[in-house]
Amino acid sequence: MGMLLKLAAHARVTPDTPALAWNGGRLGYAALAQEVEALTRKLTASGVRVLGLDLDNGPAWALLDLAALAAGVTLVPIPPFFSPQQVRHCLQQAGGQAVISDNPDALALRGGDRLSGTIRQLPLLDQTLAWVEARGAGMPAGSAKVTYTSGTTGEPKGVMLAWEQIQPVVESLARSTLAGPADRHLALMPLAVLLEN
């Protein structure tokens, strides 16, 4: 059973069990499923095939990640420690068509000419994010994510990952850690880093 189907099953069986918790809030599985469904519709309606995420860790990151997977949108996580040159390289190479950011002013400096300057608001939970149009042309279907190396010895290198490549790793981690319903995961690294994601 795929991850989205498992989330839907949790929403039916344990609707109020916390799925996400953060400083100042929590989201049960039923509310999580509703938020992901609403975001999935928005992403599908946008026509965007490649979406960058320039967000701090938080519930919005997780919701957008799940919605992109459900909508078949390729997600390009942008690490917060990337230089402006690295951000531009990622957006150009991955064909980013839009970027969702919680700091559009900083993104404008980092994204430079890869961004079109068109910004819309995207209300999500208790914050308003920025939907920033980018100048990318998209990429072939089938990639769930494009994750980038740190680029310490040159330009960051993008790795295209299909969900079929990610899912076995997720399942093996769940088995290896013996994760159960009462367990929690604390995200310590940026979610834009594949290991944490």
Side-chain angles (χ1 to χ4, degrees), residues 64-110:
L64 286 159
D65 188 23
L66 292 168
L69 179 63
V73 171
T74 301
L75 197 67
V76 182
I78 301 172
F81 49 83
F82 269 19
S83 70
Q85 180 182 350
Q86 291 172 317
V87 171
R88 290 180 195 123
H89 172 76
C90 293
L91 291 175
Q92 180 177 5
Q93 188 182 55
Q97 298 169 308
V99 180
I100 295 177
S101 179
D102 53 8
N103 190 343
D105 293 335
L107 175 63
L109 294 173
R110 295 171 71 213

Side-chain angles (χ1 to χ4, degrees), residues 14 33 41 45 50 60 70 72-73 80 89 102 112 139 162 188:
T14 58
R41 285 193 303 271
V50 180
V73 171
H89 172 76
D102 53 8
M139 66 173 13
L188 296 175

Side-chain angles (χ1 to χ4, degrees), residues 17-155:
T17 299
L20 296 174
W22 63 97
N23 189 14
R26 77 176 197 64
L27 208 55
Y29 277 100
L32 173 75
Q34 290 170 350
E35 291 287 344
V36 169
E37 186 177 319
L39 281 170
T40 301
R41 285 193 303 271
K42 287 179 184 178
L43 290 178
T44 301
S46 76
V48 166
R49 295 184 331 240
V50 180
L51 177 68
L53 271 194
D54 178 47
L55 299 173
D56 281 338
N57 284 10
W61 211 108
L63 291 171
L64 286 159
D65 188 23
L66 292 168
L69 179 63
V73 171
T74 301
L75 197 67
V76 182
I78 301 172
F81 49 83
F82 269 19
S83 70
Q85 180 182 350
Q86 291 172 317
V87 171
R88 290 180 195 123
H89 172 76
C90 293
L91 291 175
Q92 180 177 5
Q93 188 182 55
Q97 298 169 308
V99 180
I100 295 177
S101 179
D102 53 8
N103 190 343
D105 293 335
L107 175 63
L109 294 173
R110 295 171 71 213
D113 64 351
R114 299 309 315 157
L115 306 173
S116 73
T118 305
I119 300 175
R120 295 182 306 206
Q121 292 186 340
L122 177 67
L124 184 55
L125 298 178
D126 57 350
Q127 65 185 136
T128 300
L129 303 174
W131 175 287
V132 182
E133 298 292 328
R135 299 186 194 284
M139 66 173 13
S143 294
K145 246 177 211 144
V146 179
T147 187
Y148 279 86
T149 63
S150 63
T152 54
T153 60
E155 291 291 346

